[in-house]
Amino acid sequence: MLFPRAERRRREALQLLARPVLIEGDATELVALLTEEARASGIEVLTPSAPAPERAELARVIVLAVEGRGRRSSFTRAAEMLRAIEPALTPDAVRIVVIQSGRSRAMPPRLKRRLTDEILFQVSLAFPQLLPQRKWRSIRLRAGLAALDAAGLRILRFG
């Protein structure tokens, strides 16, 4: 194993995701990619369009993929979408927004793992009572975040 600390952090974050994760958004390709990656990691994924009896369990984490059409409108649209999905979330839910710009459509497959790592890092930061507080990123995570930014993906945590 090349990066034991990174793998340990990844396993810890996955333990936090024992409850289903809600993946939604208007960036359909990115939503499909995130759903596929989550299911491959063994994470149960909820869909807000499912009937109420099927999604009786509330999500503790939501990943919202938003199509970027300028920074300001993306934030506003993300906030509106989060308000609409609020009934499917627990009160302490972590809201992670991934804003996709036009250049990220040609995202290389290697960046998929970087995107997953950054989302898991944001989840682990959001639950300091469950994990030791980590206020710094490893060089690997910093390089991955820079690569995601260069590819046109911005990751934000709301709450």
Coordinates of all heavy atoms in Angstrom, one line a residue, residues 21-106:
V21 N -26.5 7.8 1.1 CA -26.1 9.1 0.6 C -27.0 9.6 -0.5 O -27.4 8.7 -1.3 CB -24.6 9.1 0.1 CG1 -24.2 10.4 -0.5 CG2 -23.7 8.7 1.2
L22 N -27.4 10.8 -0.5 CA -28.3 11.3 -1.5 C -27.4 12.0 -2.5 O -26.6 12.9 -2.2 CB -29.3 12.3 -0.9 CG -30.3 12.9 -1.8 CD1 -31.2 11.8 -2.4 CD2 -31.2 13.9 -1.0
I23 N -27.5 11.6 -3.8 CA -26.8 12.2 -4.9 C -27.8 12.8 -5.9 O -28.6 12.0 -6.4 CB -25.8 11.2 -5.6 CG1 -24.8 10.7 -4.6 CG2 -25.1 11.9 -6.7 CD1 -23.9 9.6 -5.1
E24 N -27.7 14.1 -6.1 CA -28.7 14.7 -6.9 C -28.0 15.9 -7.6 O -26.9 16.3 -7.3 CB -29.8 15.2 -6.0 CG -31.0 15.9 -6.8 CD -31.7 15.1 -7.8 OE1 -31.7 13.8 -7.6 OE2 -32.1 15.6 -8.8
G25 N -28.7 16.5 -8.6 CA -28.2 17.7 -9.3 C -28.6 17.8 -10.7 O -29.3 16.9 -11.3
D26 N -28.3 18.9 -11.4 CA -28.6 19.1 -12.8 C -27.5 18.8 -13.7 O -27.7 18.8 -14.9 CB -29.2 20.5 -13.0 CG -28.1 21.6 -12.7 OD1 -27.0 21.2 -12.3 OD2 -28.5 22.8 -12.8
A27 N -26.3 18.4 -13.2 CA -25.2 17.9 -14.1 C -25.4 16.4 -14.2 O -24.8 15.7 -13.4 CB -23.9 18.3 -13.4
T28 N -26.2 16.0 -15.2 CA -26.5 14.6 -15.2 C -25.4 13.6 -15.4 O -25.4 12.5 -14.8 CB -27.5 14.3 -16.4 OG1 -27.0 14.8 -17.6 CG2 -28.8 15.0 -16.1
E29 N -24.4 14.0 -16.2 CA -23.2 13.1 -16.3 C -22.4 12.9 -15.0 O -22.0 11.8 -14.7 CB -22.3 13.6 -17.4 CG -22.9 13.7 -18.8 CD -22.7 15.0 -19.5 OE1 -21.9 15.8 -18.9 OE2 -23.3 15.2 -20.5
L30 N -22.3 14.0 -14.3 CA -21.6 14.0 -13.1 C -22.4 13.2 -12.0 O -21.8 12.5 -11.2 CB -21.3 15.4 -12.6 CG -20.3 15.6 -11.4 CD1 -19.0 14.9 -11.7 CD2 -20.1 17.0 -11.1
V31 N -23.7 13.4 -12.0 CA -24.5 12.6 -11.0 C -24.4 11.1 -11.3 O -24.2 10.3 -10.4 CB -26.0 13.1 -11.1 CG1 -26.9 12.1 -10.4 CG2 -26.2 14.5 -10.6
A32 N -24.4 10.7 -12.6 CA -24.2 9.3 -12.9 C -22.8 8.8 -12.5 O -22.7 7.7 -11.9 CB -24.4 9.1 -14.4
L33 N -21.8 9.6 -12.7 CA -20.4 9.2 -12.3 C -20.3 9.1 -10.8 O -19.8 8.1 -10.3 CB -19.4 10.3 -12.8 CG -18.0 10.2 -12.3 CD1 -17.3 9.0 -12.9 CD2 -17.3 11.5 -12.4
L34 N -20.9 10.1 -10.1 CA -20.8 10.0 -8.6 C -21.6 8.8 -8.0 O -21.2 8.1 -7.1 CB -21.3 11.3 -8.0 CG -20.4 12.5 -8.2 CD1 -21.2 13.8 -7.8 CD2 -19.1 12.4 -7.5
T35 N -22.8 8.5 -8.6 CA -23.6 7.4 -8.2 C -22.8 6.1 -8.5 O -22.8 5.2 -7.6 CB -24.9 7.4 -8.9 OG1 -25.6 8.6 -8.7 CG2 -25.8 6.3 -8.5
E36 N -22.2 6.0 -9.6 CA -21.5 4.8 -10.0 C -20.3 4.6 -9.0 O -20.1 3.5 -8.5 CB -21.0 4.9 -11.4 CG -20.1 3.8 -11.9 CD -19.5 4.1 -13.2 OE1 -20.3 4.6 -14.1 OE2 -18.3 3.8 -13.4
E37 N -19.5 5.6 -8.7 CA -18.4 5.6 -7.8 C -18.8 5.2 -6.4 O -18.2 4.4 -5.7 CB -17.6 6.9 -7.8 CG -16.8 7.1 -9.1 CD -15.7 6.2 -9.2 OE1 -14.9 5.9 -8.3 OE2 -15.5 5.7 -10.4
A38 N -20.0 5.8 -5.9 CA -20.4 5.5 -4.6 C -20.9 4.0 -4.5 O -20.5 3.4 -3.5 CB -21.6 6.4 -4.2
R39 N -21.6 3.6 -5.4 CA -22.0 2.1 -5.4 C -20.8 1.2 -5.5 O -20.8 0.1 -4.9 CB -23.0 1.9 -6.5 CG -24.4 2.5 -6.2 CD -25.5 2.1 -7.1 NE -26.7 2.7 -6.6 CZ -27.6 3.3 -7.4 NH1 -27.4 3.3 -8.7 NH2 -28.7 3.8 -6.9
A40 N -19.8 1.6 -6.3 CA -18.6 0.7 -6.4 C -17.9 0.7 -5.0 O -17.2 -0.3 -4.7 CB -17.7 1.3 -7.5
S41 N -18.0 1.8 -4.2 CA -17.3 1.8 -2.9 C -18.2 1.1 -1.8 O -17.8 1.1 -0.7 CB -17.1 3.3 -2.5 OG -16.2 3.9 -3.4
G42 N -19.4 0.7 -2.2 CA -20.2 0.0 -1.2 C -21.1 1.0 -0.5 O -21.7 0.6 0.6
I43 N -21.3 2.2 -0.9 CA -22.2 3.1 -0.3 C -23.6 3.1 -0.9 O -23.8 3.1 -2.1 CB -21.6 4.6 -0.5 CG1 -20.2 4.7 0.1 CG2 -22.5 5.6 0.1 CD1 -19.5 5.9 -0.2
E44 N -24.6 3.0 0.0 CA -26.0 3.0 -0.5 C -26.4 4.4 -0.9 O -26.1 5.4 -0.2 CB -26.9 2.5 0.7 CG -28.3 2.4 0.2 CD -29.2 2.0 1.4 OE1 -28.7 1.6 2.4 OE2 -30.5 2.0 1.2
V45 N -27.0 4.5 -2.1 CA -27.3 5.8 -2.7 C -28.9 5.9 -2.7 O -29.6 5.0 -3.2 CB -26.8 5.9 -4.1 CG1 -27.2 7.2 -4.7 CG2 -25.3 5.8 -4.1
L46 N -29.4 7.0 -2.2 CA -30.8 7.3 -2.3 C -31.0 8.2 -3.5 O -30.2 9.0 -3.9 CB -31.2 8.1 -1.0 CG -31.3 7.4 0.3 CD1 -31.7 8.4 1.4 CD2 -32.3 6.3 0.2
T47 N -32.2 8.2 -4.0 CA -32.6 9.1 -5.1 C -33.9 9.8 -4.6 O -34.8 9.2 -4.0 CB -33.0 8.4 -6.4 OG1 -34.0 7.4 -6.1 CG2 -31.8 7.7 -6.9
P48 N -33.9 11.2 -4.7 CA -35.0 11.9 -4.2 C -36.3 11.7 -5.0 O -37.4 11.9 -4.5 CB -34.6 13.4 -4.3 CG -33.5 13.4 -5.3 CD -32.9 12.0 -5.3
S49 N -36.2 11.1 -6.2 CA -37.4 10.8 -7.0 C -38.1 9.5 -6.6 O -39.2 9.2 -7.0 CB -37.0 10.8 -8.4 OG -36.0 9.8 -8.7
A50 N -37.4 8.8 -5.7 CA -38.0 7.5 -5.2 C -39.3 7.8 -4.4 O -39.3 8.8 -3.7 CB -37.1 6.7 -4.4
P51 N -40.3 6.9 -4.4 CA -41.5 7.1 -3.6 C -41.1 7.2 -2.1 O -40.1 6.6 -1.7 CB -42.4 5.9 -3.9 CG -41.8 5.4 -5.2 CD -40.4 5.8 -5.3
A52 N -41.9 7.8 -1.3 CA -41.6 8.0 0.1 C -41.4 6.7 0.9 O -40.5 6.7 1.7 CB -42.8 8.8 0.8
P53 N -42.1 5.6 0.7 CA -41.9 4.4 1.5 C -40.5 3.9 1.2 O -39.8 3.3 2.1 CB -42.9 3.4 1.0 CG -44.0 4.3 0.5 CD -43.4 5.5 -0.1
E54 N -40.0 4.0 0.0 CA -38.7 3.4 -0.4 C -37.5 4.3 0.2 O -36.5 3.7 0.5 CB -38.5 3.4 -1.9 CG -39.4 2.3 -2.5 CD -39.1 2.2 -4.0 OE1 -38.0 2.7 -4.5 OE2 -40.0 1.7 -4.7
R55 N -37.7 5.5 0.5 CA -36.7 6.3 1.1 C -37.1 6.8 2.5 O -37.0 8.0 2.8 CB -36.3 7.5 0.2 CG -37.3 8.5 -0.1 CD -36.7 9.6 -1.0 NE -37.8 10.5 -1.4 CZ -38.0 11.6 -0.9 NH1 -37.3 12.1 0.1 NH2 -39.0 12.4 -1.3
A56 N -37.5 5.9 3.3 CA -38.0 6.2 4.6 C -36.8 6.7 5.5 O -36.9 7.4 6.4 CB -38.6 5.0 5.3
E57 N -35.6 6.2 5.1 CA -34.4 6.6 5.9 C -33.9 8.0 5.3 O -33.8 8.2 4.1 CB -33.3 5.6 5.7 CG -32.2 5.8 6.7 CD -31.3 4.6 6.7 OE1 -31.4 3.6 6.0 OE2 -30.4 4.6 7.6
L58 N -33.6 8.9 6.2 CA -33.1 10.2 5.8 C -31.6 10.1 5.5 O -30.8 9.4 6.2 CB -33.4 11.2 6.8 CG -34.8 11.5 7.1 CD1 -35.0 12.5 8.3 CD2 -35.6 11.9 5.9
A59 N -31.1 10.9 4.6 CA -29.7 10.9 4.3 C -28.9 11.8 5.2 O -29.4 12.9 5.6 CB -29.5 11.4 2.8
R60 N -27.7 11.4 5.6 CA -26.8 12.3 6.4 C -25.9 13.1 5.6 O -25.3 14.0 6.1 CB -26.1 11.4 7.4 CG -25.4 12.1 8.5 CD -25.0 11.2 9.6 NE -24.4 12.0 10.7 CZ -23.8 11.5 11.7 NH1 -23.7 10.2 11.8 NH2 -23.4 12.3 12.7
V61 N -25.7 12.6 4.3 CA -24.8 13.3 3.4 C -25.5 13.5 2.1 O -26.1 12.5 1.6 CB -23.5 12.5 3.2 CG1 -22.6 13.2 2.2 CG2 -22.7 12.4 4.5
I62 N -25.4 14.7 1.5 CA -25.9 14.9 0.2 C -24.8 15.4 -0.7 O -24.0 16.3 -0.2 CB -27.1 15.9 0.1 CG1 -27.5 16.1 -1.3 CG2 -26.8 17.2 0.8 CD1 -28.8 16.8 -1.6
V63 N -24.6 14.9 -1.9 CA -23.7 15.4 -2.8 C -24.5 15.9 -4.0 O -25.3 15.2 -4.6 CB -22.7 14.3 -3.3 CG1 -21.8 14.9 -4.3 CG2 -22.0 13.7 -2.1
L64 N -24.4 17.2 -4.2 CA -25.2 17.9 -5.2 C -24.3 18.3 -6.3 O -23.3 19.1 -6.1 CB -25.9 19.1 -4.6 CG -26.9 19.9 -5.4 CD1 -28.1 19.0 -5.7 CD2 -27.3 21.2 -4.7
A65 N -24.6 17.8 -7.5 CA -23.8 18.2 -8.7 C -24.5 19.3 -9.5 O -25.6 19.0 -10.0 CB -23.5 17.0 -9.6
V66 N -23.9 20.4 -9.6 CA -24.5 21.6 -10.3 C -23.7 22.0 -11.5 O -22.5 22.0 -11.5 CB -24.5 22.8 -9.3 CG1 -25.1 24.0 -10.0 CG2 -25.3 22.4 -8.0
E67 N -24.4 22.2 -12.6 CA -23.9 22.7 -13.8 C -23.5 24.1 -13.7 O -24.4 24.9 -13.4 CB -24.9 22.5 -15.0 CG -24.3 22.7 -16.3 CD -23.3 21.7 -16.8 OE1 -23.5 20.5 -16.4 OE2 -22.3 22.0 -17.4
G68 N -22.3 24.5 -13.9 CA -21.8 25.9 -13.7 C -22.1 26.7 -14.9 O -21.7 26.4 -16.0
R69 N -22.7 27.8 -14.7 CA -23.0 28.8 -15.7 C -22.6 30.2 -15.2 O -23.3 31.1 -15.3 CB -24.5 28.8 -16.1 CG -24.9 27.5 -16.7 CD -26.4 27.6 -17.1 NE -26.8 26.3 -17.3 CZ -27.8 25.7 -16.6 NH1 -28.3 26.3 -15.6 NH2 -28.1 24.4 -16.8
G70 N -21.5 30.3 -14.6 CA -21.1 31.5 -13.9 C -21.1 31.2 -12.4 O -22.0 30.6 -11.9
R71 N -20.1 31.7 -11.7 CA -20.0 31.4 -10.3 C -21.2 31.8 -9.4 O -21.7 31.0 -8.6 CB -18.7 32.1 -9.7 CG -18.4 31.7 -8.3 CD -17.2 32.3 -7.9 NE -16.1 31.6 -8.6 CZ -14.9 31.5 -8.1 NH1 -14.6 32.0 -6.9 NH2 -14.0 30.8 -8.8
R72 N -21.7 33.0 -9.6 CA -22.8 33.5 -8.8 C -24.1 32.7 -8.9 O -24.7 32.3 -8.0 CB -23.0 35.0 -9.0 CG -24.0 35.6 -8.1 CD -24.1 37.1 -8.3 NE -24.9 37.7 -7.3 CZ -24.4 38.5 -6.4 NH1 -23.2 38.7 -6.3 NH2 -25.2 39.0 -5.5
S73 N -24.5 32.4 -10.2 CA -25.7 31.7 -10.4 C -25.6 30.3 -9.9 O -26.6 29.7 -9.5 CB -26.1 31.8 -11.9 OG -25.1 31.1 -12.7
S74 N -24.4 29.7 -10.0 CA -24.2 28.3 -9.5 C -24.5 28.2 -8.0 O -25.1 27.3 -7.6 CB -22.8 27.8 -9.8 OG -22.6 27.9 -11.2
F75 N -24.0 29.2 -7.3 CA -24.2 29.2 -5.8 C -25.7 29.3 -5.5 O -26.2 28.6 -4.6 CB -23.4 30.3 -5.1 CG -21.9 30.1 -5.2 CD1 -21.1 31.2 -5.4 CD2 -21.3 28.9 -4.9 CE1 -19.7 31.0 -5.4 CE2 -20.0 28.7 -5.0 CZ -19.2 29.8 -5.2
T76 N -26.3 30.3 -6.2 CA -27.7 30.5 -5.9 C -28.6 29.3 -6.3 O -29.4 28.9 -5.5 CB -28.2 31.7 -6.8 OG1 -27.4 32.8 -6.5 CG2 -29.7 32.0 -6.5
R77 N -28.3 28.7 -7.4 CA -29.0 27.5 -7.8 C -28.8 26.3 -6.9 O -29.7 25.6 -6.5 CB -28.6 27.1 -9.3 CG -29.6 26.3 -10.0 CD -29.5 26.3 -11.5 NE -28.3 26.9 -11.9 CZ -27.2 26.3 -12.4 NH1 -27.2 25.0 -12.5 NH2 -26.2 26.9 -12.8
A78 N -27.5 26.2 -6.4 CA -27.2 25.1 -5.4 C -28.0 25.3 -4.1 O -28.5 24.3 -3.6 CB -25.7 25.1 -5.2
A79 N -28.1 26.5 -3.7 CA -28.8 26.8 -2.4 C -30.3 26.5 -2.6 O -30.9 25.9 -1.7 CB -28.6 28.3 -2.0
E80 N -30.8 26.9 -3.8 CA -32.3 26.6 -4.0 C -32.5 25.1 -4.1 O -33.5 24.6 -3.6 CB -32.7 27.3 -5.3 CG -32.8 28.8 -5.2 CD -33.0 29.4 -6.6 OE1 -33.0 28.7 -7.6 OE2 -33.1 30.7 -6.6
M81 N -31.6 24.4 -4.8 CA -31.8 22.9 -4.9 C -31.7 22.3 -3.5 O -32.4 21.3 -3.2 CB -30.7 22.3 -5.8 CG -31.0 22.8 -7.3 SD -29.6 22.3 -8.4 CE -30.1 20.6 -8.7
L82 N -30.8 22.7 -2.7 CA -30.6 22.2 -1.3 C -31.9 22.4 -0.5 O -32.3 21.6 0.3 CB -29.4 22.8 -0.6 CG -28.0 22.3 -1.1 CD1 -26.9 23.1 -0.5 CD2 -27.9 20.8 -0.8
R83 N -32.4 23.6 -0.6 CA -33.7 23.9 0.1 C -34.8 23.0 -0.3 O -35.6 22.5 0.5 CB -34.1 25.4 -0.1 CG -33.5 26.3 1.0 CD -34.0 27.7 0.9 NE -32.9 28.5 0.6 CZ -32.7 29.2 -0.5 NH1 -33.7 29.4 -1.4 NH2 -31.6 29.9 -0.7
A84 N -34.9 22.7 -1.6 CA -35.9 21.8 -2.1 C -35.8 20.3 -1.6 O -36.7 19.6 -1.4 CB -35.9 21.8 -3.6
I85 N -34.5 19.9 -1.4 CA -34.2 18.5 -1.0 C -34.2 18.4 0.5 O -34.1 17.3 1.0 CB -32.9 18.1 -1.6 CG1 -33.0 18.1 -3.1 CG2 -32.5 16.7 -1.2 CD1 -31.7 17.8 -3.9
E86 N -34.3 19.5 1.2 CA -34.2 19.5 2.7 C -35.0 18.4 3.4 O -34.5 17.8 4.4 CB -34.6 20.9 3.2 CG -34.2 21.1 4.6 CD -32.7 21.3 4.8 OE1 -32.0 21.8 3.9 OE2 -32.2 20.9 5.9
P87 N -36.3 18.1 3.0 CA -37.0 17.1 3.7 C -36.4 15.7 3.7 O -36.7 14.8 4.6 CB -38.4 17.1 3.0 CG -38.5 18.4 2.4 CD -37.1 18.8 2.0
A88 N -35.5 15.4 2.8 CA -34.9 14.1 2.7 C -33.6 14.0 3.5 O -33.0 12.9 3.4 CB -34.6 13.7 1.2
L89 N -33.3 15.0 4.2 CA -32.0 15.1 5.0 C -32.2 15.1 6.5 O -33.2 15.6 7.0 CB -31.2 16.3 4.6 CG -30.9 16.5 3.1 CD1 -30.3 17.8 2.8 CD2 -30.1 15.4 2.6
T90 N -31.2 14.6 7.2 CA -31.2 14.7 8.7 C -30.9 16.2 9.0 O -30.3 16.9 8.2 CB -30.2 13.8 9.3 OG1 -28.9 14.1 8.9 CG2 -30.5 12.3 9.0
P91 N -31.2 16.6 10.2 CA -30.9 18.0 10.6 C -29.4 18.3 10.6 O -29.1 19.5 10.3 CB -31.5 18.1 12.0 CG -32.5 17.1 12.1 CD -32.0 16.0 11.2
D92 N -28.6 17.4 10.9 CA -27.1 17.6 10.9 C -26.5 17.2 9.6 O -25.2 16.9 9.6 CB -26.5 16.9 12.1 CG -26.6 15.4 12.0 OD1 -27.4 14.9 11.3 OD2 -25.7 14.7 12.6
A93 N -27.2 17.1 8.5 CA -26.7 16.5 7.2 C -25.6 17.4 6.7 O -25.6 18.6 6.8 CB -27.8 16.4 6.2
V94 N -24.6 16.8 6.0 CA -23.5 17.5 5.4 C -23.9 17.7 3.9 O -24.3 16.7 3.3 CB -22.2 16.7 5.5 CG1 -21.1 17.4 4.7 CG2 -21.8 16.5 6.9
R95 N -23.8 18.9 3.5 CA -24.2 19.2 2.1 C -23.0 19.6 1.3 O -22.3 20.6 1.5 CB -25.2 20.4 2.1 CG -26.5 20.1 2.8 CD -27.1 21.3 3.4 NE -28.3 21.1 4.1 CZ -28.4 20.7 5.4 NH1 -27.2 20.6 6.1 NH2 -29.5 20.5 6.0
I96 N -22.6 18.7 0.4 CA -21.4 18.9 -0.5 C -21.9 19.2 -1.9 O -22.7 18.5 -2.4 CB -20.5 17.7 -0.5 CG1 -20.0 17.5 1.0 CG2 -19.4 17.9 -1.4 CD1 -19.2 16.2 1.2
V97 N -21.4 20.3 -2.4 CA -21.8 20.8 -3.8 C -20.6 20.7 -4.7 O -19.5 21.2 -4.3 CB -22.3 22.2 -3.7 CG1 -22.7 22.7 -5.1 CG2 -23.6 22.3 -2.8
V98 N -20.7 20.0 -5.8 CA -19.7 20.0 -6.8 C -20.2 20.8 -8.0 O -21.2 20.4 -8.6 CB -19.4 18.5 -7.2 CG1 -18.3 18.5 -8.3 CG2 -19.1 17.6 -6.0
I99 N -19.5 21.8 -8.3 CA -19.9 22.7 -9.4 C -19.0 22.3 -10.6 O -17.8 22.3 -10.6 CB -19.7 24.2 -9.1 CG1 -20.6 24.5 -7.9 CG2 -20.0 25.1 -10.3 CD1 -20.4 25.9 -7.4
Q100 N -19.7 22.0 -11.7 CA -19.0 21.5 -12.9 C -19.0 22.6 -14.0 O -20.1 23.1 -14.3 CB -19.7 20.2 -13.4 CG -19.1 19.7 -14.7 CD -19.9 18.5 -15.2 OE1 -21.1 18.4 -14.9 NE2 -19.3 17.7 -16.0
S101 N -17.8 22.9 -14.5 CA -17.8 23.9 -15.6 C -17.7 23.1 -16.9 O -17.6 21.9 -16.9 CB -16.6 24.8 -15.4 OG -15.4 24.1 -15.7
G102 N -17.7 23.8 -18.0 CA -17.7 23.2 -19.3 C -16.5 22.4 -19.6 O -16.6 21.4 -20.3
R103 N -15.3 22.8 -19.1 CA -14.1 22.1 -19.4 C -14.0 20.7 -18.7 O -13.2 19.9 -19.0 CB -12.9 22.9 -19.1 CG -12.8 23.4 -17.8 CD -11.6 24.2 -17.6 NE -11.5 24.5 -16.1 CZ -11.2 25.6 -15.6 NH1 -10.9 26.6 -16.3 NH2 -11.3 25.8 -14.3
S104 N -14.8 20.5 -17.7 CA -14.7 19.2 -16.9 C -15.4 18.1 -17.6 O -15.4 17.0 -17.2 CB -15.3 19.4 -15.5 OG -16.7 19.6 -15.6
R105 N -16.1 18.4 -18.7 CA -16.8 17.3 -19.5 C -15.8 16.3 -20.0 O -16.1 15.1 -20.2 CB -17.6 17.9 -20.6 CG -18.6 18.8 -20.1 CD -19.9 18.7 -21.0 NE -20.8 19.8 -20.8 CZ -21.2 20.3 -19.6 NH1 -20.7 19.9 -18.5 NH2 -22.1 21.3 -19.5
A106 N -14.6 16.7 -20.3 CA -13.6 15.8 -20.8 C -12.6 15.4 -19.6 O -11.5 15.3 -19.8 CB -12.8 16.5 -21.9

